[in-house]
Amino acid sequence: MNAKTPNAIDTFVGSRVRMRRQLLGLSQERLADQIGVTFQQVQKYEKGMNRIGASRLQRIAEVLSTSPSFFFQQDESEPLGLGGLETSVAADPVAEFLHSKEGLALNRAFLKITDTQLREKIVALVKAMAQAQEGRVVAVEQTKPGETFA
């Protein structure tokens, strides 16, 4: 392992800090102020370049209204393990989407909807739209050269 290469666990924990911070709409500067470091230090934590100490991680968890264990969970129930950790975010399209600007914006907006039935209808609508798009893609691929698809 190269000394300048971040440890996979530090990178994962940092990415979870970044995801939670962005989900709450906090800037790096604001988080830094609340935990007593510079925003550059927060950047290094989020990239995994600097390891986060236990007391600092506890403070970050308090500021981000979560538990320290949140930063070590690969999903809702599975604790952090080394198997496939280096590729876990890149190989998981859901995690990749959640780390994008669109994913964060969509999640923030969705969380503001308190009506359970409305949430279910939105999920059903998005599923139907995805299926319709898949159907169009399949139909376009099945057309012969020179044919048009309406």
Side-chain angles (χ1 to χ4, degrees):
M1 178 179 205
N2 185 344
K4 295 195 179 222
T5 304
N7 179 285
I9 292 177
D10 295 331
T11 302
F12 182 82
V13 169
S15 73
R16 298 282 289 179
V17 168
R18 180 175 190 260
M19 178 182 67
R20 181 70 181 173
R21 175 184 61 77
Q22 289 179 330
L23 189 62
L24 295 175
L26 237 57
S27 68
Q28 288 179 332
E29 293 84 2
R30 181 123 184 248
L31 176 60
D33 286 344
Q34 292 190 15
I35 65 172
V37 299
T38 64
F39 82 90
Q40 292 95 336
Q41 184 64 37
V42 171
Q43 286 177 334
K44 290 178 181 181
Y45 288 154
E46 290 182 356
K47 291 179 182 176
M49 297 302 290
N50 285 9
R51 187 168 289 163
I52 305 172
S55 59
R56 176 83 21 91
L57 189 62
Q58 175 65 40
R59 180 65 186 137
I60 291 170
E62 289 170 4
V63 170
L64 299 180
S65 304
T66 191
S67 68
S69 64
F70 168 82
F71 302 113
F72 296 95
Q73 293 175 334
Q74 291 175 316
D75 66 24
E76 293 302 314
S77 60
E78 184 180 338
L80 184 61
L82 288 174
L85 187 61
E86 290 82 5
T87 60
S88 64
V89 172
D92 182 4
V94 173
E96 192 173 329
F97 175 70
L98 289 175
H99 283 85
S100 71
K101 274 187 172 183
E102 297 85 3
L104 287 167
L106 183 62
N107 277 294
R108 277 193 205 112
F110 191 78
L111 287 172
K112 290 179 182 178
I113 300 169
T114 58
D115 184 344
T116 306
Q117 289 180 337
L118 181 57
R119 280 183 170 208
E120 290 172 1
K121 288 178 182 178
I122 291 170
V123 170
L125 173 65
V126 172
K127 284 181 179 179
M129 292 169 72
Q131 286 177 337
Q133 182 176 346
E134 286 175 357
R136 274 187 264 138
V137 169
V138 169
V140 168
E141 290 173 353
Q142 291 176 352
T143 59
K144 296 177 185 168
E147 287 184 341
T148 57
F149 180 75

